[in-house]
Amino acid sequence: MLAIAYGCVLIAALLPYIWVVVAKTSGQRYNNRDPRAWQARQESPVCNRANAAHLNSFEAFAPFAAGVIMAQLAQVPAERIAVLSVAFVVLRVAYGLLYVGNRHLLRSLVWTLALACVLALLVMAMLGVATAAP
């Protein structure tokens, strides 16, 4: 079961790169010599939303990865870690699709649910350590 959670960490680590590919292929001809200035000049809403999903995926990754590792170290049952990890990845893929698709209200709901998965991992880890302490 823990392999599933670790696989989810790998997928979550790759998600930012999926959204940046969408951004780079949705805008005007990509310029790899000056990518940040290129992005700043883009007027395509899809390109800009995909770039925002890219940046947000980086922001979401660290707390998720930490939550998985902390929960595992605190001996939270592997099944719980796996379920929350799969839910997080599914929600984050949906988040990116909703962001690119300009579905802002549903995107915000999905973002909140993914955050809840991370918070659950962190709280379970904290409680696991607190109850194991002598």
Side-chain angles (χ1 to χ4, degrees):
M1 279 290 174
L2 214 44
I4 292 170
Y6 287 2
C8 289
V9 171
L10 173 62
I11 293 167
L14 296 174
L15 278 177
Y17 303 101
I18 292 170
W19 303 126
V20 81
V21 167
V22 173
K24 290 177 180 180
T25 57
S26 301
Q28 299 168 355
R29 184 180 158 138
Y30 179 67
N31 179 357
N32 196 43
R33 291 183 180 183
D34 194 4
R36 293 178 194 259
W38 174 86
Q39 182 62 52
R41 290 189 306 271
Q42 296 311 298
E43 295 180 10
S44 165
V46 170
C47 177
N48 291 324
R49 288 191 303 267
N51 186 61
H54 156 77
L55 296 173
N56 189 268
S57 293
F58 277 124
E59 295 167 4
F61 175 72
F64 169 65
V68 169
I69 293 166
M70 289 170 59
Q72 189 259 333
L73 290 173
Q75 299 181 349
V76 171
E79 298 81 22
R80 289 185 190 169
I81 299 170
V83 166
L84 288 167
S85 297
V86 170
F88 176 84
V89 167
V90 168
L91 289 164
R92 291 301 302 183
V93 169
Y95 172 85
L97 293 170
L98 292 166
Y99 212 144
V100 172
N102 199 25
R103 302 289 306 270
H104 62 96
L105 293 176
L106 192 53
R107 178 192 85 217
S108 294
L109 173 64
V110 167
W111 180 91
T112 303
L113 293 172
L115 176 62
C117 292
V118 172
L119 294 175
L121 287 166
L122 293 170
V123 168
M124 286 190 303
M126 179 188 68
L127 294 174
V129 170
T131 57

